[in-house]
Amino acid sequence: MLSRVAASFYWLSRYIERSDGMLRMLKINYASSQDTVQEFTWEPVMRIFAGLDAGEAEKLDNDSRSVLKYMVTGKNNHNSILNIITLARENARGVQEHITKDLWQCLNEYYHTVKDPRLERALHREDPIGVLDVLIKQVMLYYGTVEITMERGEGRAFMNIGKYLERAIQSVDILDTKFSSISDNPDLLTDTTYWKHLLLSLGGYELYLKTYREGFEAENVLEQVVLNNDFPRSVIYSVNNIQRYFDRLKNDSNADDYREMSFQIGRLQSRIKYSSVKSIRQEGLHLFLTQIRSELYGVGNSLNQHYFANS
């Protein structure tokens, strides 16, 4: 497969996965901003998904609808849903002959839904939860279309590597941000609502209730999001799938590149697999997550070097 085509598959999938994580986080945080009796801040969300520091976030006055407009339809926000779906569609256009007609139509519908001026007006005047749900359903339609229409070849392998790499980075960033906030406000450690919202934003609330009977505890949340093989958004689940789909790229023409990257991914996989909540605590959670994030970005950089060099 041409490196340009492989890169387009990879980035198409990363952008869609990023939009999914953003939409879910925005939905839960908007609901939280309406329910909380304490002062609410959008700063953690803005830091994770828009790269804004506290001062820049405050310029939006923590007004929920202004934040949603900036994050969903903001043309000046390079990481808004509008801009990343535009990039996803451009990548799909570049490989249109390699994807199914159904998938192209699905992406086109998602793009035009976000571009529709009525969506921005609805964010301003109507219930934003309903607007976000419409966009989340577009993502679910995309994933279902990929699953039932795309050929199980190299293209889909690159798509899944991109999806799970983006998902792992998001989970690490969210955990790091949420646990860092506890340093400034220790009362959050025993705040049931705080952990509930974190799990809801990752789609892990129901699994947590089934797995842990003793209530919401920080160590159990950490275990589920990092180490639980049955949680689709855990770091270990994502890394296992990166390894799984990377294995499908092995062939005689790229043996050296494959061997180098396989070792890199396997090392990261073992680093997480043979960790425990206790060992992570002893090492320091922030240091552990920082190193995992660095290694995930290293995998992305290696893919660019060895597989997308001419893209």
Side-chain angles (χ1 to χ4, degrees):
M1 175 174 286
L2 293 174
S3 60
R4 175 189 60 80
V5 174
S8 292
F9 273 123
Y10 168 83
W11 281 108
L12 159 63
S13 192
R14 281 198 67 167
Y15 288 135
I16 296 293
E17 180 66 25
R18 188 175 305 171
S19 77
D20 185 44
M22 287 173 61
L23 289 167
R24 293 175 185 278
M25 179 67 86
L26 291 172
K27 177 181 175 180
I28 297 305
N29 274 266
Y30 178 78
S32 176
S33 73
Q34 302 305 296
D35 294 340
T36 184
V37 295
Q38 301 173 346
E39 183 179 354
F40 180 85
T41 176
W42 282 93
E43 189 270 333
V45 177
M46 305 291 277
R47 182 163 18 120
I48 294 170
F49 290 110
L52 300 184
D53 59 28
E56 292 171 311
E58 285 178 3
K59 292 178 182 178
L60 294 169
D61 298 322
N62 272 322
D63 175 70
S64 293
R65 290 184 185 267
S66 296
V67 170
L68 289 176
K69 180 179 177 181
Y70 180 77
M71 295 299 294
V72 177
T73 61
K75 294 181 180 179
N76 295 326
N77 173 12
H78 71 279
N79 212 37
S80 69
I81 299 295
L82 171 63
N83 284 330
I84 63 177
I85 294 310
T86 300
L87 290 171
R89 184 171 177 265
E90 288 175 359
N91 277 281
R93 186 190 296 278
V95 293
Q96 198 168 346
E97 67 274 20
H98 298 279
I99 63 176
T100 62
K101 181 180 179 181
D102 287 336
L103 183 55
W104 172 249
Q105 290 176 339
C106 174
L107 280 165
N108 237 7
E109 183 179 337
Y110 189 6
Y111 169 77
H112 287 295
T113 300
V114 179
K115 287 275 290 183
D116 191 334
R118 290 175 295 179
L119 183 133
E120 187 167 338
R121 290 197 295 269
L123 279 175
H124 182 67
R125 299 174 183 173
E126 300 174 17
D127 178 16
I129 297 293
V131 178
L132 296 172
D133 278 339
V134 167
L135 296 178
I136 290 171
K137 287 178 182 178
Q138 289 290 333
V139 180
M140 294 300 97
L141 178 60
Y142 163 85
Y143 282 135
T145 304
V146 169
E147 183 63 28
I148 65 176
T149 69
M150 279 295 292
E151 172 192 354
R152 268 52 177 171
E154 284 189 344
R156 188 167 179 273
F158 280 112
M159 291 175 78
N160 278 304
I161 292 169
K163 177 175 76 172
Y164 287 111
L165 185 62
E166 182 68 32
R167 185 176 295 183
I169 291 170
Q170 281 187 25
S171 293
V172 167
D173 284 345
I174 291 169
L175 263 187
D176 197 20
T177 299
K178 290 292 186 179
F179 274 87
S180 295
S181 297
I182 295 173
S183 302
D184 301 324
N185 186 0
D187 291 341
L188 293 175
L189 197 61
T190 55
D191 187 340
T192 298
T193 303
Y194 186 76
W195 299 118
K196 178 181 177 180
H197 285 154
L198 187 156
L199 291 165
L200 283 169
S201 67
L202 290 170
Y205 177 64
E206 292 181 7
L207 178 61
Y208 184 94
L209 294 180
K210 294 175 183 177
T211 307
Y212 303 99
R213 304 295 183 180
E214 58 269 34
F216 292 98
E217 295 184 7
E219 291 197 350
N220 292 339
V221 172
L222 175 61
E223 182 178 63
Q224 176 167 316
V225 179
V226 177
L227 304 171
N228 190 331
N229 282 294
D230 296 323
F231 178 40
R233 291 184 179 273
S234 74
V235 181
I236 187 61
Y237 182 90
S238 296
V239 172
N240 285 343
N241 275 282
I242 292 171
Q243 179 70 74
R244 173 189 174 193
Y245 286 102
F246 182 73
D247 284 345
R248 300 183 182 185
L249 300 179
K250 184 177 182 180
N251 58 58
D252 294 338
S253 65
N254 67 355
D256 291 339
D257 291 339
Y258 172 85
R259 192 179 305 110
E260 181 176 334
M261 276 210 64
S262 183
F263 174 79
Q264 185 178 10
I265 297 170
R267 182 180 58 196
L268 171 59
Q269 190 177 28
S270 296
R271 172 93 163 89
I272 303 167
K273 180 179 179 180
Y274 296 109
S275 294
S276 64
V277 172
K278 182 179 179 181
S279 69
I280 293 172
R281 286 292 195 189
Q282 289 175 341
E283 178 181 346
L285 177 60
H286 177 66
L287 177 60
F288 174 82
L289 293 175
T290 298
Q291 291 178 346
I292 295 300
R293 183 192 296 111
S294 177
E295 292 191 41
L296 288 166
Y297 278 116
V299 170
N301 292 337
S302 293
L303 280 167
N304 184 63
Q305 178 183 347
H306 296 300
Y307 288 88
F308 311 148
N310 298 318
S311 61

